[in-house]
Every structure is written in C-alpha cells, then in structure tokens.
Amino acid sequence: MELSKTFDPKAAEQRWYGRWLELGYFTADPARPGPVFSMVIPPYNVTGALHLGSALNVTLQDIVVRARRMQGYNTLWVPGTDHAGIATQNVVEREIGKEGTNRHDLGRTAFEKRVWEWKELYGGRILEQLRRLGASADWTREHFTMDADLSRAVLKVFVDLHREGLIYRDRRLINWCPRCETALSDLEVEHKDSDGSLYFIRYPFKQESGHVTVATTRPETMLGDTAVAVHPADERYAHLHGKLLDLPLIHRQIRTIFDDAVDREFGTGAVKITPAHDFNDFEIGRRHKLDEISVMDTRAHMNAEAGPFKGMSREACRRAVVDALKSEELLEKIEPHRHAVGVCSRCDTVIEPMISTQWFMRMKPLAEKAIAAVRDGRTTFHPKFWENTYFNWLENIHDWCISRQLWWGHRIPAYHCERCANLMVAIERPAKCEKCEGRDLVQEEDVLDTWFSSALWPFSTMGWPEETRDLALYYRPNERKQYEGTQYEGTTLLVTAFDIIFFWVARMMMIGLKVTKQVPFRDVYITPLVRDKYGKKMTKSRGNVVDPLELMDKYGTDAVRFTLAQLTVQGRDLVLSDERLTASRAFANKIWNAARFVLMNLEGAAQPIPRPAQDKLSLADRWILSRLDEAIAKTRETLDSYEFNNVALTLYQFIWHEYCDWYIELAKEPLRASGAQRDSTRWVLVHCFDQMLRLLHPLMPFVSEELWQALRPYFDEPKLADHLVVAEFPVANGGEWLSQKERDAMDHCREATEAINSLRSLLGYHPGQRMKAALRRPRSLELALEEFPSWMGYVMTLAKLESFQYTPSAATEFLVRSCGWAEICLEKPAGFDSERTAAKLSKDLDEVTKFVTQHEARLNDDGFKAKADAETQRLVAEKYVALRAEQEKLREQLEQLTAG
RNA sequence: GGGCGGUUAGCUCAGCGGUAGAGCAUCGGUCUUACACACCGAGGGUCGCAGGUUCGAUCCCUGCACCGCCCACCA
C-alpha cells in the first residue's frame, strides 16, 4: 500500500467514521459480557453550535469511552439534546418577528408547532458536529428532553414530588424578566456591577412637620412603599415610634417600623420598604405584615398603583419621580453609587423582583441527601476541590422556582376547575373535578424550567420509569459485574463544565437520589474552561468564540483532539494556542511518515510476519519493547486517573522520541541486512506500531485507524479485530525484556552520552547531523579518525550503539581514550571561544563547589547525625560523593582548557 | 463580604521535599535512501514577595501582593 507523503486528515475522517457506524461499533448491547461503563452526554441545547468547550467535553468523553470499549467493557454513551426553553423560544420568536408577527398573534398551538419545525430543521446540527469530532456515541439511543418517553418521566416526577409535598405552589417574590416575561430561578440571574446613584428622599411626617430621609438606588419603587424601617437600637430614630409618614407623590399613609435587618451605617440608617419589588423588603414586609403593592406590570411598565406615573417604563418613571421630588423639594441629594444589578442570563435585561404565583421545589431535604452522597464517596468529583463548591451551594440552598411563563417546554400537569377553582395535579388530564365534579378543567399555562427535565437525564434516557434492560444494566450496574470490582451506583462517569455544577450536576444528584434512590453517577469530571487568548471565557455574547470546526478543517480532527487532551490538566483553565495545534498536526504527520518508512521496508515480508524467538531479538529490539511496556503501563494508569495531559505526553514522548528518533534509526542497519536479523527487526517495528496505534486510538482515532488498516496484514495477532476501534487495548506484557546487566549498561550509556556532550561543548564544536551520517559508515574508529568532521558524531554513535556491549568499565575506558584522542587529533574548530567556555566552566565549578561544601557541612553536623534517619544519611552521603566526582570532572576539564 | 484557583524560560503551560522540564518562539548547523509538519545543537529561569517548618523548600505551613473565577438581599 502506498501512502502519500503527508497525512491528509480529511480523507481518513471521511473514510472511517461512516464505517464504524455501519458496523454498529458504537451501539450498546446489554447482552454483551464484561464490566459496565456507561455515560450520558450533557444534553446540548438545540440552539447550540459546537464551541470549544463542548469540543473539549466531547473529546474527553470520547477518549475515555473509546479506551473502555477497547478494554472490553460493555460501554454505553448516550447522546442527545435539550429543548432549552427560553433560548429556543427566543430564537424562534426572533424568526417570526422578522416575518412581522409575534407568538401572541400566532397563538400557543401554532407557535409550538413552529418551534418543533425549527427544532427538526436545526436541532440536530450540533450532533452532526459531534460526529465530525469523532464522538463514538450510541446514536441509536439518541434522546431529546421533549421526546414522548422523556416527557412522561418529567410528568411522573412532577406528580410524585407534588404528592409528597416537595413541589408546591405559592405566591411570593420571584425574579422576573420583563423582556422574556417569565419567572426565573436564582441561578438564571447574573449580578453585574453598575454605576448608579443613591437618592436621598425626604418622607414627611403625617401629623406634624418634619421628615425622615431615606436613601435608595431605585426611587421609582417608592410608589410601592408601605413602610420606612430603622434599626431598633438606632437612637437617632427612637422618636419615630408610632409615627406615620406621608408617602410623597402618592400620598399614601405608611408606617414606621423597627427591624434588625437594617444597616445603621448605610445611607441615612433609614430605609424605605417596598415589599413587592425588593427581596430584602419582602422579608421585612412579611415579618411586619405589610401590604405588598406591586406597581408594575409584566413588562415592567408602571400600573394603576403608580397613579400619575401609570404606563411609563420603569426607567422613564425613575426620571419622572426624581423630577417630581425635586420640584416638591423632597430630594435632598444624589450621590454616585456602584452596586450590583441582577440581569437575565438569557437576554441581559435588568431583572424585576415581582410578586407572583409560581411553582416551587422544596430543596433542603433533597440537598441533605446530595451532600451526604458526595461526603461518603458514592460520587466523587475530579478535581476534588469542586466538591467544596458543590457543598457550599447545597448548604445554602433556597427553594427552586420551577415554573416558567413560556410556551416551549413541558407544560405543568396541573388542572384548574373553572367552577370551584380546585387544583388537581395528575399525569393524565382528569375527566372531571374531584371536588365539584365540574367538567370544565383548564390546564396550567406554565411550563417547567428546562433544567427540570435535564435533572432526570441519566435515568430518563435509560427508559425510566419503565424497568428497561438499559436501566437495569447501565444505571444499576451493581446487579452485574462490577467496575474493577468496586461497588458503585448510577452511570460510571459524567464529564461536564463547572459552570453547570449548580444548574445541572447538583440537581441531578438531588433528584436522582430522590427518584431512583441512588446516585446518578460515580465520577464527575469537571473539565477546565477553554479561554480565549486574553484569558476570557468564550461566550456567544462576547463574540470571542473560536469555531472548532474551523480548527478541524485547518489542523485535522485528530490534531484538535490531541491538543485538547494535552492541555487538559485538572483544575486549570485551558488556553488554546495555534502553536500547540501546529505541533499536534506535526505529530500526526510524524506518525504517518514513520508508517511510510515501516511499510517501505516491508517489501517482500511475510504476511503476517512471524514472531521471532526471544533469543533472536537484538538488544535494540528488546530495549524498545521494554520501553513500549512502560508506555503502555503509564498510558493505562493516566487514563484511569483522568490525567489527559499525561496520556498525551506519554504517547508523544514514546512515539516521537523513542520509537522514531531511536528505534527507527537503529533499525536501519539490520533492515539492510537479510535473513533472520531483518525479519525480527521487521516484526518489532510492526509490533510496536500496532501497540502504539492502539494506545493512541482514543486520542487520535482517525490517523490511527487509517495506519492500522495499512499495516494490518503484517500483524501476528491471532484473533485480530477488523477495525482498530474495537481492537484490544494493549496490556504490558510484563516480561523482562532486558537483563540486569543490560540495564546497567544502558544507564552507563546515558552517562557516557552526557560525558560526550560536555566534551563536545568544551570544544565548542557542534557536529550536528553527522552523527547520523556516521551511522551509515563502517564502525571503525580508525576510519572515523581519517575524516575529522565526522569524528564527534561517530563517537556519539558508537557510545550509544556499542556501549550496550561494553561493561561499564570498558565503556569508560573507551571514552577516556576518545577524549585523549580528541586532545591529540583535533584542532580547535573555528568559532571556538575558549574564554567563554572557561568562564562557563568555572561558573559551574563554583556552583558545584558550593554544594559540595554544603553537603560536607551537613554530613559533619551533629544535629543531622542525630536527627536524620539512616536512609536520609545514606542519600546525602551518596549525593556528596556524586558532587565530588562532578567537581573533579569540571576541574579537570577547566585545567585541560586553560593548559591548551 | 465569603470562598476557590493561579503566579515556574520570550509565549502557552507541565512538574516536584534532594543543584529546574516540554512545546512553540529565538540563534547556529544539516538536502541524511520516512518525515523541512524533519534532523542535530545552543542560549535563556534568584520557580510572585516576606516569614516559618526541615539536615535541605520552587514544592509543606502562615501572611502579603497581583490576576482570574464563583457565591452573597446591604437599600
């Protein structure tokens, strides 16, 4: 098979993904043997496009699931999408807005139909992009949060929790977005600092002259004031007891009240109370049984309660109120004031706290169980410090407002009786009112928060509430073979970003525990955040999003995946750079070319190449095989602990710097020979390649499959899979490829190389590429010495190649001789700066001498002798000896240099 | 106001109780029968600051500074 000179990622990507799908490699089969590995993808917003965060997320999941599949696990990876209530509704509303209409004109049914149409058209786009990334998810089990079966699960959970009193309806102050015209949960409100003003307003006494001055950032809400509060211990205001005030502009009579919640230091120490438009005031209001007067409508325009200001927007009203107060000389002063303003996370509109009847979920009892599950280790976060964040939020949790005044979502299964106003909650619409038997039942208009259905995702996608085979095996795996013998519950792994720990992870934990009586996942891997080059979070609204598809076009999917893995260190944000991507692309190409080399040298080789007997393997063969074993062990280890950067690093180092740089070079000579020597080298080359590609496959699925297929005819594995994607993951063979003597020799070789390097730098001569040229020449010192320029490279080569055969002392002798010859034979090359070299040497010498003295002192120190244990003393002594040797060497070199 | 993470080479980042590492960039040298997306080599760092623990600290502890993030009803 001919391979092109460079790797073409597109061809490989197109060739293999479709094949894998056709052959059903990603489809889970509950009947399969083996331990279970299951995972659900964080459902993507149907409005979403692939961004780097999701590319990272999917890449990491795919790496794990591919590795587990190769390791023989029964794997399931469920993909799917989320209906994304507000986001999707907004998109479609914008679309029909362009057509000159709106959802109210269209009506609920027609609008819902429009959204479904939109979803069918565009909702699958993100999943298409996941396939492009190589995601090996089970597409036969793709789900959408509003699928019929998932919707049923939603209704069942709602009804069950309502019956238990965990879901209830209440009228209270909630976050309201006047643009989306819906209630929001606390989490959907973002707090942004904004430069505002603090207005000091005089509230006159009702029955006598005089006034109290209050400070507020929102003068327009004074129209809804029902009291002025001061701290009970504030002597400045002791005289306010029982006083009534005349609310300016509106002339409503309001009370003065005393409450600990008032901060005496802030403003004037007196605060106006607007229970219907401020969370603090609402609490105080309920404590003092104040009226709750809402002065705005659902679009945050002033309503009839605002009297003359009716119909104004809140902004216009603020200006009008300030003007009116000024003209009545009730505005004392205005100070600049910076404070946090809550805005809608979807549309950035300033949130208005509003009194409203909504549905809530009681969180405290659920949160306690969710905390306990992580505390006792049934679920573990990686990195662990995220557990603090999780605990912190759950410990201070408030009830969750789950109803939304939207049309796109799961409509709340509650029915109002038109006749007696009775409210019934049931999965199916009741035939008649259970109280008055009336037949006019109207379903609740509100839908549920999108995150409600997401919270059920790990088990609703498995078929819950039906006891399906999937649910039994992949969600309750303890019933079958255990994951590495460990008892655990739920799916095996969840990979997600930290910004939805509260929105999603914590809620899945709470509801999963409540509904299925077990945790929904064992491990939670929190991915780092992908940031732009300025370290900013990439968000659509910031417009700083890098499109992963463009990166894949430019560098190839494998390179993008490899780069993301390489940069993924637990607990640290990830800044993507072109340099890294370029390096990864070069890596793919390097492997490609190594394969070309191997194939080129397989001409006429047997298919398969028979495995040579152990004693036919050369030292170089056994060396690379032993290194391969170490690479396998390390890859498995780092994969298990989710150290993605180290997985990538291990493979990069082994493939590039050991297999390519050394073994391929060493193989060139035996390959030129014929017979047994060539055959065993061929086998080692191919065997290593096979194993390397398997290790690499989870990270770089396309290039690895492509090359594996090309080399496959030569593999000697007896039961070979048809595709790498389902081939067995390597296991270190554990055999001692090298004898102890050889290990020692290799260590010595390393030292020898260092010695030669320092000799070379002493001479200031850089032989460069000639080392490799020397490889091709007869290995004879005499010949090498004839040609001065090649000499140094030759020494290096010999040292590396031949010191394997030398005993350490012989190798030393060889080196010493070489150095001596260098003295005799070599003239100092042009450009050699002896002064500079001498300076460097003496600097090194000084430094080493410093350490020698230090160690000497330490060894002679009585305190050290007394305190340090034997092992430590031995270590320090050893170090001292080494340092002395180093010192001696440097001194000699320096002498030689100055003498010459 | 709480909490979390970071500060290591020009850049992006690993690492670690025993005289500092990678990739890229820089500089010098290589057309060598896989690869110039390559090869060989060089330069470059008081590991944010100050204390403490230790025979020994870049690493552990305390404090500080700066950067970033999350949470929080101070009007």
Side-chain angles (χ1 to χ4, degrees):
Chain A
M1 181 171 171
E2 276 291 303
L3 297 184
S4 61
K5 203 171 173 184
T6 52
F7 171 53
D8 173 16
K10 281 221 180 66
E13 287 162 29
Q14 275 158 17
R15 186 157 26 239
W16 296 112
Y17 197 83
R19 288 286 296 152
W20 296 330
L21 280 187
E22 253 169 58
L23 293 163
Y25 288 151
F26 306 154
T27 307
D29 175 7
R32 248 195 76 151
V36 170
F37 177 89
S38 61
M39 181 165 69
V40 293
I41 215 167
Y44 290 98
N45 284 0
V46 283
T47 56
L50 192 70
H51 56 92
L52 271 172
S54 37
L56 170 69
N57 185 268
V58 167
T59 297
L60 299 184
Q61 289 178 77
D62 196 45
I63 288 172
V64 176
V65 81
R66 278 180 188 267
R68 293 299 186 220
R69 190 180 294 118
M70 291 171 78
Q71 286 171 5
Y73 283 75
N74 183 341
T75 57
L76 168 63
W77 185 18
V78 178
T81 46
D82 186 298
H83 65 281
I86 302 185
T88 312
Q89 176 157 329
N90 284 353
V91 167
V92 177
E93 276 193 81
R94 260 202 300 282
E95 197 167 89
I96 59 177
K98 282 184 206 141
E99 296 162 13
T101 175
N102 62 56
R103 71 179 160 110
H104 299 286
D105 290 349
L106 227 52
R108 184 161 186 154
T109 315
F111 180 76
E112 277 183 76
K113 194 161 160 269
R114 268 303 287 267
V115 185
W116 274 106
E117 282 165 12
W118 186 92
K119 186 258 169 189
E120 294 310 323
L121 215 53
Y122 303 108
R125 189 179 44 164
I126 180 122
L127 299 179
E128 199 45 58
Q129 294 171 335
L130 298 190
R131 287 189 267 269
R132 174 81 203 282
L133 245 186
S136 65
D138 183 350
W139 301 102
T140 67
R141 285 175 168 81
E142 181 188 325
H143 286 94
F144 174 55
T145 46
M146 280 175 64
D147 283 347
D149 45 349
L150 271 69
S151 299
R152 230 189 130 66
V154 166
L155 299 189
K156 180 168 166 51
V157 169
F158 185 94
V159 171
D160 289 352
L161 294 189
H162 178 264
R163 188 171 302 134
E164 272 198 63
L166 287 166
I167 286 177
Y168 62 94
R169 201 160 174 257
D170 192 17
R171 183 173 168 78
R172 69 163 73 148
L173 201 63
I174 45 92
N175 298 296
W176 183 267
C177 173
R179 202 216 60 86
C180 303
E181 290 188 68
T182 179
L184 299 173
S185 68
D186 297 344
L187 286 178
E188 287 161 301
V189 179
E190 282 174 15
H191 294 275
K192 288 188 180 169
D193 268 354
S194 103
D195 287 313
S197 304
L198 195 57
Y199 301 84
F200 291 77
I201 307 171
R202 290 179 182 150
Y203 282 23
F205 294 129
K206 183 83 180 172
Q207 293 104 331
E208 59 204 87
S209 62
H211 63 264
V212 177
T213 302
V214 298
T216 179
T217 54
R218 300 197 57 199
E220 71 279 12
T221 62
M222 66 164 288
L223 304 173
D225 282 1
T226 47
V228 164
V230 295
H231 195 275
D234 194 337
E235 287 168 10
R236 291 175 296 173
Y237 294 114
H239 66 284
L240 285 184
H241 253 294
K243 288 260 164 55
L244 291 176
L245 300 170
D246 177 44
L247 183 64
L249 309 182
I250 299 278
H251 301 295
R252 183 188 303 132
Q253 176 178 303
I254 63 174
R255 292 161 54 195
T256 51
I257 57 173
F258 296 82
D259 197 288
D260 289 338
V262 178
D263 180 355
R264 277 177 278 185
E265 308 300 318
F266 189 87
T268 61
V271 57
K272 65 189 219 39
I273 300 296
T274 323
H277 290 285
D278 183 282
F279 285 96
N280 245 331
D281 295 1
F282 178 78
E283 295 295 326
I284 296 176
R286 289 259 159 131
R287 276 203 288 275
H288 296 269
K289 303 203 165 36
L290 298 176
D291 287 342
E292 292 158 4
I293 302 174
S294 195
V295 294
M296 291 178 215
D297 64 17
T298 58
R299 283 162 55 236
H301 284 57
M302 309 314 289
N303 65 17
E305 292 286 355
F309 302 95
K310 182 182 179 223
M312 291 183 186
S313 71
R314 36 183 184 170
E315 295 78 15
C317 179
R318 176 177 301 182
R319 288 188 293 271
V321 164
V322 169
D323 286 345
L325 289 171
K326 266 185 197 158
S327 61
E328 294 194 23
E329 294 185 350
L330 291 171
L331 189 65
E332 203 167 284
K333 59 177 174 176
I334 303 176
E335 285 180 354
H337 182 66
R338 195 167 173 78
H339 63 130
V341 172
V343 298
C344 172
S345 59
R346 278 288 155 204
C347 69
D348 251 17
T349 305
V350 175
I351 291 301
E352 189 58 50
M354 296 276 255
I355 297 276
S356 171
T357 301
Q358 301 287 344
W359 295 83
F360 297 88
M361 193 185 292
R362 203 179 302 286
M363 302 308 273
K364 276 250 164 5
L366 301 182
E368 279 162 19
K369 295 228 162 87
I371 291 169
V374 173
R375 286 228 191 273
D376 59 29
R378 274 178 288 160
T379 293
T380 312
F381 280 73
H382 307 266
K384 203 151 179 77
F385 65 75
W386 285 114
E387 290 179 2
N388 290 332
T389 309
Y390 170 87
F391 292 140
N392 201 17
W393 186 68
L394 286 173
E395 279 158 8
N396 300 302
I397 200 161
H398 299 296
D399 283 1
W400 175 17
C401 176
I402 52 175
S403 46
R404 296 289 176 275
Q405 288 62 53
L406 303 172
W407 287 354
W408 176 242
H410 300 97
R411 197 156 165 184
I412 290 177
Y415 301 87
H416 304 266
C417 173
E418 293 270 78
R419 201 186 325 161
C420 73
N422 180 35
L423 185 68
M424 286 156 284
V425 170
I427 294 177
E428 304 289 347
R429 167 188 286 266
K432 59 187 178 191
C433 174
E434 54 199 15
K435 265 196 184 154
C436 72
E437 310 237 325
R439 293 191 169 270
D440 291 328
L441 300 181
V442 180
Q443 185 173 1
E444 172 74 56
E445 293 285 325
D446 295 355
V447 300
L448 288 166
D449 183 354
T450 296
W451 295 101
F452 188 98
S453 55
S454 310
L456 320 182
W457 186 251
F459 52 90
S460 65
T461 55
M462 307 263 182
W464 187 94
E466 305 303 322
E467 280 298 326
T468 60
R469 289 180 81 192
D470 278 6
L471 189 72
L473 184 65
Y474 298 115
Y475 191 76
R476 307 189 199 279
N478 17 5
E479 283 155 29
R480 232 180 66 187
K481 216 171 164 189
Q482 305 312 313
Y483 178 89
E484 283 154 17
T486 317
Q487 189 86 10
Y488 80 103
E489 307 168 346
T491 56
T492 320
L493 174 65
L494 180 82
V495 177
T496 192
F498 74 83
D499 52 352
I500 53 174
I501 289 180
F502 305 147
F503 276 111
W504 194 46
V505 181
R507 286 168 177 168
M508 278 192 288
M509 284 293 286
M510 291 188 281
I511 295 187
L513 279 161
K514 178 71 211 166
V515 171
T516 67
K517 313 281 182 249
Q518 59 163 49
V519 297
F521 25 76
R522 188 191 64 165
D523 285 340
V524 180
Y525 183 89
I526 301 294
T527 61
L529 197 66
V530 183
R531 297 182 175 277
D532 70 6
K533 58 185 165 180
Y534 306 106
K536 290 278 180 218
K537 196 170 156 180
M538 289 188 183
T539 59
K540 251 179 286 176
S541 56
R542 274 206 191 89
N544 59 351
V545 177
V546 175
D547 185 357
L549 294 171
E550 281 172 22
L551 296 183
M552 284 189 259
D553 285 339
K554 190 169 170 198
Y555 299 100
T557 297
D558 285 329
V560 171
R561 289 172 58 118
F562 189 83
T563 306
L564 289 173
Q566 189 184 30
L567 295 174
T568 295
V569 177
Q570 291 194 5
R572 188 147 166 165
D573 293 343
L574 176 164
V575 178
L576 198 64
S577 66
D578 282 339
E579 288 79 21
R580 287 280 181 165
L581 286 159
T582 306
S584 299
R585 182 178 56 190
F587 181 48
N589 192 54
K590 182 79 184 176
I591 300 163
W592 182 263
N593 274 293
R596 278 184 70 213
F597 172 82
V598 171
L599 279 169
M600 201 177 282
N601 281 287
L602 289 179
E603 210 172 304
Q607 297 186 355
I609 301 170
R611 178 176 184 145
Q614 174 94 5
D615 61 3
K616 292 283 182 292
L617 294 173
S618 72
L619 183 71
D621 295 338
R622 285 178 288 123
W623 169 74
I624 194 69
L625 290 167
S626 73
R627 297 298 302 151
L628 173 67
D629 267 2
E630 281 175 42
I632 291 170
K634 189 146 187 224
T635 304
R636 297 184 72 107
E637 203 182 296
T638 48
L639 263 172
D640 284 347
S641 51
Y642 309 122
E643 295 168 56
F644 296 99
N645 63 322
N646 286 328
V647 176
L649 188 68
T650 303
L651 295 173
Y652 187 93
Q653 286 293 337
F654 175 73
I655 295 173
W656 197 312
H657 295 303
E658 304 204 84
Y659 184 81
C660 292
D661 282 358
W662 278 102
Y663 188 70
I664 284 187
E665 294 304 331
L666 293 171
K668 282 177 177 171
E669 194 166 313
L671 284 173
R672 266 194 299 274
S674 59
Q677 198 192 356
R678 184 181 63 183
D679 291 343
S680 63
T681 304
R682 279 173 164 176
W683 179 83
V684 176
L685 275 172
V686 167
H687 173 76
C688 287
F689 226 116
D690 171 31
Q691 301 283 304
M692 270 163 23
L693 292 174
R694 290 168 191 248
L695 292 173
L696 193 65
H697 182 259
L699 284 82
M700 301 180 112
F702 298 108
V703 69
S704 56
E705 179 80 77
E706 180 93 358
L707 294 177
W708 197 77
Q709 294 293 345
L711 288 162
R712 218 177 126 210
Y714 301 98
F715 296 157
D716 71 335
E717 283 282 319
K719 41 170 188 160
L720 212 51
D722 287 333
H723 291 84
L724 178 53
V725 66
V726 285
E728 216 176 289
F729 202 72
V731 181
N733 99 340
E736 297 283 302
W737 294 105
L738 299 168
S739 67
Q740 188 57 48
K741 199 175 148 196
E742 283 164 348
R743 281 166 212 272
D744 292 347
M746 273 179 48
D747 284 346
H748 190 77
C749 173
R750 217 166 290 136
E751 282 167 30
T753 310
E754 277 165 27
I756 290 171
N757 277 337
S758 58
L759 171 67
R760 197 177 36 207
S761 84
L762 170 70
L763 295 169
Y765 175 64
H766 311 297
Q769 186 58 23
R770 293 181 200 280
M771 181 200 86
K772 286 207 172 175
L775 269 165
R776 298 190 306 275
R777 298 204 173 86
R779 285 190 283 159
S780 135
L781 266 178
E782 282 73 19
L783 266 179
L785 286 168
E786 279 174 20
E787 199 186 350
F788 160 63
S790 305
W791 187 87
M792 199 54 68
Y794 194 71
V795 170
M796 269 194 75
T797 307
L798 278 178
K800 286 195 173 173
L801 282 180
E802 296 192 359
S803 67
F804 286 130
Q805 294 155 25
Y806 287 146
T807 62
S809 62
T812 309
E813 197 187 328
F814 163 76
L815 277 169
V816 170
R817 263 172 36 212
S818 305
C819 294
W821 283 328
E823 287 283 304
I824 299 157
C825 301
L826 300 184
E827 294 170 37
K828 301 240 161 67
F832 175 69
D833 183 344
S834 60
E835 274 180 32
R836 184 157 165 251
T837 311
K840 188 171 179 335
L841 276 175
S842 61
K843 193 184 136 205
D844 288 352
L845 184 60
D846 285 351
E847 208 155 296
V848 171
T849 306
K850 197 180 87 193
F851 283 109
V852 167
T853 322
Q854 217 176 69
H855 279 71
E856 216 161 35
R858 218 176 277 165
L859 287 167
N860 292 330
D861 180 46
D862 289 335
F864 175 65
K865 282 183 198 160
K867 284 187 202 164
D869 58 40
E871 174 66 11
T872 311
Q873 298 212 17
R874 194 184 59 77
L875 271 174
V876 174
E878 236 170 51
K879 194 79 206 170
Y880 172 70
V881 172
L883 281 167
R884 281 297 294 267
E886 174 90 23
Q887 186 188 29
E888 210 43 49
K889 202 179 84 190
L890 283 169
R891 198 170 279 157
E892 261 173 44
Q893 283 183 3
L894 196 58
E895 267 167 31
Q896 278 175 19
L897 186 69
T898 43

